[in-house]
Amino acid sequence: MLVLESEAIEVVAEAVSIVPIKTRRLQTSIDLYERGSDYVILGAGGMDGEAAPYAGFVEFGTSRMQARPYMQPALAKVRASTPSRFRFAFERLHT
């Protein structure tokens, strides 16, 4: 779980650093919302969507607004280093 949670924390940090900022409302809504024994839930907008209900519109765009992705690029950047991190964590457990 430590590797998964640390990866999620990195995704949140990266998304916070690249999200388009107008009022900081969307930026401050990006967070880890829930941690379980084998999962984490992260996202933007708040768990109920009330913090920044437009989070999805910014990420995916609308018929009137071009998408300005921030979560997907953050996930892709962190995911690129995931295999080596899992390997390192696995090796540490078995040495």
Side-chain angles (χ1 to χ4, degrees):
M1 180 60 186
L2 291 175
V3 173
L4 179 60
E5 189 169 336
S6 68
E7 300 271 328
I9 290 168
E10 284 190 44
V11 171
V12 167
E14 179 64 22
V16 165
S17 74
I18 64 174
V19 68
I21 298 172
K22 188 171 185 179
T23 64
R24 296 201 185 277
R25 190 172 173 192
L26 177 54
Q27 184 184 43
T28 59
S29 77
I30 300 170
D31 203 358
L32 286 177
Y33 295 121
E34 189 175 324
R35 296 168 174 91
S37 61
D38 60 351
Y39 70 92
V40 292
I41 297 176
L42 60 109
M47 276 297 272
D48 57 6
E50 289 188 25
Y54 52 87
F57 301 140
V58 176
E59 178 77 16
F60 301 108
T62 69
S63 62
R64 297 180 181 189
M65 182 181 83
Q66 185 174 351
R68 293 179 287 163
Y70 53 95
M71 292 300 285
Q72 293 176 83
L75 179 60
K77 182 176 180 179
V78 173
R79 187 182 290 168
S81 66
T82 298
S84 62
R85 290 179 195 203
F86 276 118
R87 202 173 317 114
F88 176 73
F90 183 77
E91 289 169 358
R92 286 187 63 198
L93 286 173
H94 294 287
T95 56

